Amino acid sequence: MVQVLKTLGRMLPDHLSPLETLQFIISQSLCLAFPNTVIALLLLLTSFIKIKLIKGYLRSQMSQERLNALALLTIE
């Protein structure tokens, strides 16, 4: 797995965000070459979106402890 990530790292332009990295992989038709990386990026981006939803919509109505518990549930 480490070798796969090193190979991908040499192919990517510098300073890409996770979303830009995923877009690059898709645009270059590299999804079949790096399937686990694509899945990991999708999970990462999904968890960021979920946390933003929780923090934005519900944050004003709950304690920090409840926010942490909901974030953990959402990510799992």
Side-chain angles (χ1 to χ4, degrees):
M1 183 67 178
V2 174
Q3 189 61 35
V4 171
L5 292 176
K6 286 181 181 180
T7 302
L8 179 60
R10 286 190 290 269
M11 298 171 73
L12 292 172
D14 291 337
H15 309 295
L16 292 181
S17 69
L19 178 59
E20 292 168 334
T21 302
L22 182 60
Q23 290 171 336
F24 177 83
I25 291 171
I26 292 169
S27 70
Q28 300 297 314
S29 300
L30 297 172
C31 292
L32 293 176
F34 303 103
N36 292 334
T37 304
V38 170
I39 292 169
L41 285 168
L42 288 171
L43 288 172
L44 176 72
L45 292 169
T46 301
S47 65
F48 281 147
I49 290 169
K50 289 290 189 178
I51 289 172
K52 276 187 177 181
L53 286 173
I54 291 171
K55 285 185 80 170
Y57 179 70
L58 298 174
R59 177 66 177 125
S60 63
Q61 301 172 5
M62 72 179 71
S63 67
Q64 185 66 38
E65 184 179 327
R66 184 169 180 210
L67 175 66
N68 290 344
L70 282 173
L72 189 62
L73 284 171
T74 302
I75 292 169
E76 289 179 359

